[in-house]
Amino acid sequence: MASPVLPNPSNLLGVALVVNRSRDGPRFVFHYPPQIQYGKKQRVTLAPGSTEDELDDDDEVLLNQLSQPAFFEGTSGSLPNAAGFQSWNHDDHLETESGSHIVPWEHVAGYPTRDLESLLTPSRAFHKRLFQVSLDQLCFVSSPVYVNENGIWRKQKRQPKSRPPKSPDNGTESAILKDGSSVSTMLGPDSPQVESKDASVADAAGGSNLGSGTGLDETEEKKSGMTMFNLVFILKPKKHEAKELAETLYVHIIRKINKLFKYSQQKTDFVWKESKRILTLKDKNREEKTKMSVLWKEILEASSLAACVQDIYDAVSQNKIAALQLETSEGTIAHSVQIPIPFYLTDLPPEEEAASTRGLWITTANYFVEEDSLHDPSFLDKNFGLLLMSDEKKIIAELQADADDATAAMVEFVRLSKPTMSFHQISQGSGLSPTQVHKYAQHFIFWRRGIAIPPLHARDVYILSPNADFSLLPRASQAWARAFPLAPHLADFLAELSACPRMYKWFCPSKNHRPTYLQMLAWLMRGGWVTQLCTFAYVVVWPEILYEVEYELEAEELKALQEEATRKEKEKEKQQQNAELESDKGKERERDEHVPQRGWDQESDMRDRRYFPYRPSSPAGSSSTVRHSNISLSASTASLNLLAASATSAATEGPDIPASSSSLSLSLLAQPPLIPSPFPPTDQQQHSSSSTPSHSEPPSASASPPSAAQTQGERFALAARLSRIADKEAQAAYERSAAFARKPVPVATASPSLNAAPHLAHLAPYVIVDARRATGKDSLYLSAIARRFPDPKVRAAWPVFWKYFNGRAALERIVLGLGGDAVGGGGGTAAGGDKMKIKKRKEAWALMTAMSEYLICIRHF
């Protein structure tokens, strides 16, 4: 988790307040600290080996600017003399040679306030929006708040729309009063709104002022006040941090303080009254030429608004909680703001960030927490506990000092919260609901009164934190000695923890000392001196398991192919039987038809004479020629049938041949061949062939295409190609079956990690990164591992445990994560057999030890 960009004294120079009035215009009211000194870019020293010739003209202009402050630019009169400027402390007033008066508080960060107040008064379009402007290296971040459109800060209360009673005469709504006059029930937009306690008086006076101008005069008086206020943060950030820092201040500080200021302005006109008081003091001391330090002290004592600005800067720049108090005419309004910071780190920070994050608790336990949801109580896991960062009695005293309805429940939660108990245990053993426990825990975490940690346990391993701040060791040793006078010295105890990692219980002299030593451990965790050393695991699949799963998959695939080939063979036999039945029925229909053969021959001879002028004129020759063609056709058909039979037999031998290939070849061979003409047709015959029937077909049949001989050759070639493909696929299927038969059958061994069989030499162990999201072969590997466990309890617990074997969930917290999940005593699931609940760490470690053959473990914080 990357460290967020936080404000500090180097990038947060000051806080200012600007207001605007419709009559007087913008005014720069106050800023803190009093002296925000910032000069423009000065001439820098060139790097070794570089010359001024390497700089262009623009760089030369920037580098040769004068080093004197920028606020003298634009000041009326000439500059002060050199001696006066060198001795000026930016606290006293300064006189120029021409007699002009330079007031120290009228220049902020090197710029005149009269220029800044105009620049920091944007239009209404930026109302409650992030407004950011840059001047040189400075960045001004704010969110201006404007008055309502009607010119009144306080919003008018929406009065309910009352429907007058319907008239019994015509059923229409009547708004006529008893005296015959009628009024509108809705107030106009310019009507002033008063407080609820004076509502009755205002209503009584409102009716009498409707006709007069008293109400309008009061509205105009309300409108003549302040129209805008703008709390501005003056920053000097690095270029890559400017955007993030501005967003952080806007979200966590500016918006919340603006709500506070607007609330006080709506109630008592607080912001403008305090601004007017501050401006009056500044004008008075301007004439008296009071020192700036004296004036600022007087302003901070007289105005709670100025003191609030001071508290904002002091707290935000030091990354602390800003407790704000506004002394209004109706009482004190208190509010607290802060920038939430992470209370832990998941990795060691880089060197440039090490100083700011030194001493934070370093752990990967909260890997599921999102940085943007730290304010959401749902991020707290029920199996985590709360470690209070200060004394329990002190927190209870703070709660009782500002008592409310939830104080009693929060005090009870503080008394029950122990670093050895989880939130779930607290809710189960008290009258607090889980929702209340999570809500109160998040409250203490947000306000830096506690941190969420895994419950401390004597069986866990704790080591010296690599992020510990040893610069605080002398002072921490004194506090350690006061808290635990009989314990070993802090430095010695930390040295023992950092020597050899072991369970924390082995550091206790006896079992009776464990409660005291757990309190010592909580003290060390609170200061970031120690962290927990956790164990994380992944599921490793050894080559023996990989080979077994691959063997089973290949066997299932061959079995499926054999079943598919058998099914196709049965379908083809059924089709052949249906074809034989259809041919028998066709022969019977031909016998039933009585067509005179001689009439057909005579008609055929007439067509032959008409369409074949070059054939011999002898009728006997014609008949012999036709009979010769029929004999040749029958011989060709017989050869095609033989080829089709050979292709069919080849297809049945190969189980992998698709059914479409053999059926396509059979369908092509089953079509009747077309009889070519023995004489080449003429152009006229080609033209008339499309509309004239062939001599070898009945009169109703269409003529054959002229490329009949070529089509028949393609059919022979296609049948031969399909036959070759069938033979090749049959040979491949046979070779594959033979190769699978030669493979050794998988044999389960007691230690798959030590199996060095020759047939496993080409396989490497495989690690499942996240067993909870295992799919495909990963799930098959997990199932194959489950079958290897001889103990039914371990076999039943394997599906429950493997979701934690992802390298992110610590094995020490599996018992907390299970929360008493039921695990079946017999069978693969918890549905059947006896049920048991894993409640003890010893039992959970025993189950994981039985699974250790298939786990690869790592250890880190």
Side-chain angles (χ1 to χ4, degrees):
M1 181 181 62
S3 301
V5 179
L6 299 175
N8 53 68
S10 63
N11 57 22
L12 177 59
L13 301 184
V15 183
L17 178 65
V18 179
V19 300
N20 185 32
R21 296 194 69 191
S22 57
R23 296 179 181 177
D24 303 335
R27 297 293 302 273
F28 198 95
V29 179
F30 184 73
H31 67 275
Y32 191 88
Q35 297 180 4
I36 305 177
Q37 298 181 9
Y38 168 73
K40 288 187 176 181
K41 293 181 180 179
Q42 301 180 7
R43 184 178 181 86
V44 296
T45 305
L46 297 177
S50 61
T51 59
E52 295 187 0
D53 297 337
E54 299 176 1
L55 304 175
D56 55 14
D57 296 338
D58 296 335
D59 295 336
E60 189 69 21
V61 172
L62 291 175
L63 293 176
N64 286 285
Q65 290 182 355
L66 295 176
S67 60
Q68 66 183 31
F71 53 75
F72 291 111
E73 299 178 3
T75 305
S76 59
S78 59
L79 296 177
N81 54 46
F85 173 74
Q86 293 294 336
S87 61
W88 189 44
N89 56 6
H90 299 276
D91 189 24
D92 297 326
H93 294 246
L94 193 62
E95 297 287 341
T96 64
E97 295 178 354
S98 61
S100 300
H101 182 198
I102 298 177
V103 183
W105 57 78
E106 291 184 353
H107 298 85
V108 176
Y111 296 95
T113 55
R114 64 173 180 270
D115 297 335
L116 292 177
E117 63 189 16
S118 301
L119 182 65
L120 298 177
T121 308
S123 62
R124 183 178 286 271
F126 289 94
H127 173 58
K128 292 185 178 181
R129 298 178 62 183
L130 177 61
F131 176 72
Q132 185 175 351
V133 61
S134 298
L135 291 177
D136 202 9
Q137 294 182 352
L138 295 183
C139 180
F140 298 85
V141 180
S142 64
S143 178
V145 179
Y146 274 84
V147 72
N148 299 327
E149 295 289 346
N150 56 6
I152 303 174
W153 283 97
R154 182 178 301 163
K155 292 184 178 180
Q156 292 183 353
K157 297 181 180 179
R158 293 184 178 180
Q159 298 184 3
K161 296 181 180 180
S162 58
R163 294 180 175 270
K166 294 184 178 181
S167 174
D169 299 336
N170 50 12
T172 57
E173 295 181 355
S174 175
I176 303 176
L177 302 179
K178 291 182 179 180
D179 56 356
S181 61
S182 61
V183 296
S184 175
T185 58
M186 299 299 296
L187 295 176
D190 297 333
S191 300
Q193 187 176 2
V194 297
E195 298 181 30
S196 57
K197 61 183 180 181
D198 299 328
S200 59
V201 179
D203 293 341
S208 60
N209 292 335
L210 288 175
S212 63
T214 306
L216 297 177
D217 295 341
E218 186 178 357
T219 301
E220 292 296 334
E221 184 179 355
K222 290 284 185 179
K223 286 184 178 181
S224 62
M226 180 180 62
T227 60
M228 187 274 300
F229 67 84
N230 191 15
L231 184 68
V232 184
F233 285 76
I234 305 173
L235 308 177
K236 186 184 177 183
K238 298 179 182 179
K239 290 184 178 180
H240 65 281
E241 297 179 352
K243 183 177 180 181
E244 183 178 355
L245 182 59
E247 289 286 345
T248 301
L249 289 172
Y250 171 70
V251 173
H252 298 289
I253 302 297
I254 298 177
R255 290 173 57 182
K256 296 181 180 181
I257 296 178
N258 283 345
K259 290 181 180 180
L260 175 66
F261 285 179
K262 185 176 181 181
Y263 176 80
S264 61
Q265 176 67 19
Q266 290 175 348
K267 288 293 184 180
T268 60
D269 200 20
F270 172 79
V271 178
W272 170 239
K273 289 180 179 178
E274 293 294 316
S275 299
K276 186 166 57 175
R277 180 181 302 175
I278 295 173
L279 292 174
T280 302
L281 289 174
K282 291 171 70 175
D283 293 340
K284 176 182 177 182
N285 288 272
R286 186 180 190 277
E287 300 298 332
E288 297 176 358
K289 297 183 180 181
T290 307
K291 289 186 177 182
M292 188 175 184
S293 57
V294 176
L295 172 61
W296 247 239
K297 183 178 181 180
E298 181 181 357
I299 291 176
L300 292 175
E301 293 177 354
S303 173
S304 63
L305 179 62
C308 180
V309 174
Q310 179 188 14
D311 294 339
I312 292 172
Y313 174 78
D314 292 340
V316 175
S317 62
Q318 299 296 331
N319 196 18
K320 297 180 180 180
I321 299 175
L324 310 179
Q325 290 185 352
L326 302 181
E327 302 294 338
T328 65
S329 59
E330 293 185 355
T332 302
I333 301 177
H335 190 61
S336 299
V337 294
Q338 66 154 336
I339 298 177
I341 59 173
F343 54 84
Y344 69 98
L345 295 175
T346 58
D347 199 357
L348 291 175
E351 295 182 0
E352 57 272 12
E353 299 179 4
S356 60
T357 59
R358 186 70 67 187
L360 285 180
W361 178 42
I362 182 167
T363 181
T364 57
N366 295 343
Y367 69 94
F368 54 88
V369 180
E370 298 180 0
E371 298 178 22
D372 297 336
S373 64
L374 288 175
H375 60 279
D376 186 4
S378 62
F379 91 98
L380 289 175
D381 187 14
K382 66 177 183 179
N383 299 312
F384 278 66
L386 183 68
L387 175 63
L388 298 176
M389 299 302 291
S390 57
D391 186 47
E392 176 183 326
K393 296 180 180 180
K394 180 180 179 182
I395 295 177
I396 293 177
E398 292 177 355
L399 292 174
Q400 293 176 348
D402 188 12
D404 55 8
D405 296 339
T407 300
M410 296 181 72
V411 170
E412 182 68 15
F413 172 75
V414 172
R415 289 174 178 171
L416 293 174
S417 295
K418 305 298 179 184
T420 57
M421 296 180 61
S422 64
F423 299 136
H424 179 69
Q425 293 173 338
I426 295 175
S427 61
Q428 292 294 325
S430 64
L432 300 176
S433 64
T435 303
Q436 286 179 309
V437 171
H438 283 75
K439 182 179 178 181
Y440 297 155
Q442 175 57 27
H443 175 81
F444 289 115
I445 293 173
F446 181 81
W447 294 110
R448 309 181 189 183
R449 294 295 187 270
I451 59 175
I453 63 169
L456 304 180
H457 200 276
R459 289 182 177 269
D460 291 335
V461 180
Y462 298 92
I463 61 173
L464 179 65
S465 175
N467 197 43
D469 190 0
F470 288 96
S471 63
L472 304 177
L473 184 59
R475 186 170 57 183
S477 299
Q478 298 176 3
W480 170 271
R482 290 193 300 268
F484 309 102
L486 301 180
H489 193 270
L490 178 60
D492 298 338
F493 192 70
L494 292 177
E496 292 182 9
L497 289 175
S498 61
C500 180
R502 54 180 176 170
M503 291 185 183
Y504 185 72
K505 67 178 183 179
W506 298 115
F507 295 97
C508 304
S510 65
K511 196 171 183 179
N512 296 331
H513 290 80
R514 283 191 183 179
T516 304
Y517 268 72
L518 287 176
Q519 294 178 4
M520 295 163 54
L521 179 62
W523 191 95
L524 295 174
M525 291 285 292
R526 191 177 294 114
W529 294 103
V530 297
T531 187
Q532 184 179 358
L533 183 64
C534 300
T535 307
F536 304 86
Y538 295 94
V539 177
V540 57
V541 186
W542 300 109
E544 180 180 318
I545 308 296
L546 296 173
Y547 180 80
E548 177 183 342
V549 173
E550 294 293 340
Y551 188 91
E552 292 177 356
L553 290 177
E554 188 173 0
E556 292 178 0
E557 185 178 358
L558 290 176
K559 183 179 179 181
L561 292 175
Q562 185 65 27
E563 292 176 354
E564 182 70 16
T566 304
R567 184 184 61 82
K568 291 180 180 179
E569 180 65 22
K570 291 181 180 180
E571 290 181 356
K572 185 163 59 173
E573 291 178 359
K574 187 176 181 180
Q575 291 177 359
Q576 290 179 357
Q577 292 177 2
N578 294 336
E580 292 177 358
L581 292 177
E582 290 293 337
S583 62
D584 294 342
K585 292 180 181 180
K587 291 179 181 180
E588 292 178 359
R589 285 194 298 268
E590 289 179 358
R591 295 193 198 100
D592 296 339
E593 294 177 356
H594 301 281
V595 180
Q597 182 66 24
R598 184 171 183 82
W600 166 256
D601 293 341
Q602 291 177 357
E603 185 178 357
S604 178
D605 291 340
M606 292 177 64
R607 288 199 306 271
D608 292 343
R609 295 189 185 96
R610 187 182 308 123
Y611 298 109
F612 300 91
Y614 299 103
R615 64 184 295 179
S617 58
S618 173
S622 300
S623 301
S624 61
T625 304
V626 173
R627 285 192 298 270
H628 187 274
S629 300
N630 293 334
I631 294 172
S632 302
L633 178 60
S634 61
S636 301
T637 305
S639 61
L640 287 174
N641 292 334
L642 291 175
L643 183 59
S646 62
T648 303
S649 63
T652 56
E653 293 178 2
D656 295 338
I657 300 177
S660 58
S661 302
S662 58
S663 59
L664 176 61
S665 61
L666 293 176
S667 62
L668 291 173
L669 296 176
Q671 295 180 5
L674 300 178
I675 303 173
S677 176
F679 302 99
T682 60
D683 296 340
Q684 183 178 1
Q685 292 171 351
Q686 291 180 1
H687 178 72
S688 61
S689 61
S690 60
S691 60
T692 306
S694 175
H695 70 283
S696 61
E697 295 179 353
S700 60
S702 60
S704 301
S707 59
Q710 184 180 0
T711 304
Q712 187 176 7
E714 291 178 354
R715 289 173 183 164
F716 278 104
L718 179 60
R721 185 170 64 86
L722 293 178
S723 178
R724 290 193 300 271
I725 292 175
D727 294 341
K728 186 176 180 180
E729 292 182 352
Q731 183 66 23
Y734 173 76
E735 293 177 355
R736 183 178 180 184
S737 300
F740 178 75
R742 289 192 296 268
K743 286 185 177 181
V745 179
V747 178
T749 60
S751 299
S753 59
L754 303 178
N755 191 349
H759 65 278
L760 304 178
H762 66 285
L763 297 176
Y766 172 72
V767 177
I768 300 176
V769 177
D770 193 350
R772 174 181 292 183
R773 297 181 174 86
T775 57
K777 286 188 177 181
D778 290 354
S779 61
L780 296 179
Y781 296 150
L782 295 174
S783 300
I785 293 174
R787 295 193 298 268
R788 297 296 186 97
F789 298 124
D791 190 351
K793 292 184 179 180
V794 179
R795 190 184 310 117
W798 175 250
V800 180
F801 277 64
W802 78 38
K803 63 182 179 180
Y804 298 100
F805 302 148
N806 54 8
R808 297 188 300 271
L811 302 186
E812 289 81 0
R813 290 186 286 274
I814 283 185
V815 178
L816 299 175
L818 292 176
D821 288 346
V823 182
T829 61
D834 299 335
K835 294 184 178 180
M836 67 175 182
K837 291 185 178 180
I838 302 175
K839 293 184 178 180
K840 296 184 178 180
R841 290 172 176 258
K842 186 176 181 180
E843 185 179 0
W845 278 110
L847 292 173
M848 286 185 289
T849 303
M851 305 172 187
S852 60
E853 179 67 22
Y854 307 97
L855 299 179
I856 180 172
C857 298
I858 56 176
R859 304 188 75 180
H860 58 79
F861 45 80

